[in-house]
Amino acid sequence: MTSESESVRPGPRKYVLFDVDGTLIDAVANQRRVWGTWAARYSLDPDEVYRVALRTRPMETFATVVPDRDPGECLSALHELEDEDVRSGVYAAFDGAARLLGALPPGAWALVTSNYEHRVRGRFTRTGLPVPPVVVDAAAVTEGKPSPLPYLLAAELLGARPEDCLVIEDAPSGVQAGLRAGMTVWGVNAPAAVTGVHRHFGSLREAVPDILAFAGAEGAAAVG
């Protein structure tokens, strides 16, 4: 005969996987400025370049806006500008980000970004956000979002099952990546819900209590 304490077992541990730009860090002005400077180097319309860059990865952007230029050269120029922006640009974390990341259980969350880890670390240092042990960046996978590979790799590194993971995203490509990975996906920081999300929040701050509850940190939800 088993005792009551022996028969009641905790459920599977839950994990939270965060996109970075647009989700935890407000980098819209920085991205627009970087692409504007890049466009000027090639005598292109900055607004048109940024419009394309918003919906494509850099190499695809180059193929669209400067098909006659060496994509490697274009990427090097972009990386140079992005690195300089990390050093000198002004960044802000979205309201609630510091409280949220500080309250999550250690080892229960990761960053999944289409950027590079050194830039993420630079931005997090500038904004005072903690960096988790697991960061899946553009160099870690052969396919970026909307492929599920970045989120699946993050789950693997955390020792998590996809069905026990919550993805926090702001963009359609990231949402699709999380859904294709078989994870729960919540959208934040957008006026309207991205197609496919299981829940939508107008801001990250609004989502903080529910994210902490999902991760089993309900008691931390009251931290101000």
Side-chain angles (χ1 to χ4, degrees):
M1 180 177 181
T2 59
S3 67
E4 182 177 347
S5 61
E6 291 174 332
S7 63
V8 178
R9 298 182 179 181
R13 186 177 185 183
K14 301 296 185 180
Y15 300 82
V16 186
L17 312 179
F18 293 97
D19 172 53
V20 177
D21 292 339
T23 299
L24 296 173
I25 298 286
D26 186 354
V28 172
N30 303 75
Q31 292 169 338
R32 180 179 286 276
R33 182 168 54 252
V34 164
W35 277 110
T37 304
W38 182 90
R41 289 191 179 185
Y42 293 90
S43 301
L44 299 171
D45 179 352
D47 292 333
E48 174 61 18
V49 169
Y50 186 65
R51 184 187 66 80
V52 176
L54 278 177
R55 56 182 173 80
T56 60
R57 288 176 287 183
M59 297 303 275
E60 296 164 342
T61 300
F62 307 146
T64 300
V65 301
V66 282
D68 58 333
R69 300 301 293 260
D70 176 10
E73 170 204 319
C74 294
L75 187 62
S76 294
L78 180 65
H79 283 177
E80 175 189 328
L81 293 169
E82 289 180 325
D83 287 342
E84 176 56 33
D85 184 70
V86 170
R87 290 189 293 269
S88 61
V90 177
Y91 285 92
F94 281 106
D95 189 17
R99 167 191 164 198
L100 172 59
L101 300 186
L104 285 169
W109 61 286
L111 302 177
V112 181
T113 176
S114 299
N115 211 319
Y116 289 86
E117 183 172 352
H118 73 278
R119 294 193 193 113
V120 171
R121 289 186 177 277
R123 292 176 179 183
F124 273 46
T125 297
R126 299 282 300 280
T127 54
L129 297 179
V131 179
V134 174
V135 178
V136 174
D137 71 348
V141 290
T142 56
E143 296 178 16
K145 304 171 186 177
S147 166
L149 290 183
Y151 280 115
L152 290 173
L153 177 57
E156 178 183 341
L157 293 173
L158 287 171
R161 302 183 304 174
E163 59 265 34
D164 295 327
C165 295
L166 169 64
V167 168
I168 306 299
E169 272 280 359
D170 73 301
S173 62
V175 168
Q176 287 303 309
L179 293 173
R180 292 174 182 176
M183 300 174 179
T184 299
V185 182
W186 292 355
V188 298
N189 298 334
V194 175
T195 301
V197 295
H198 296 101
R199 293 186 66 183
H200 168 70
F201 300 85
S203 68
L204 178 67
R205 184 177 182 276
E206 293 173 27
V208 169
D210 295 81
I211 295 172
L212 291 176
F214 179 95
E218 296 93 337
V223 177

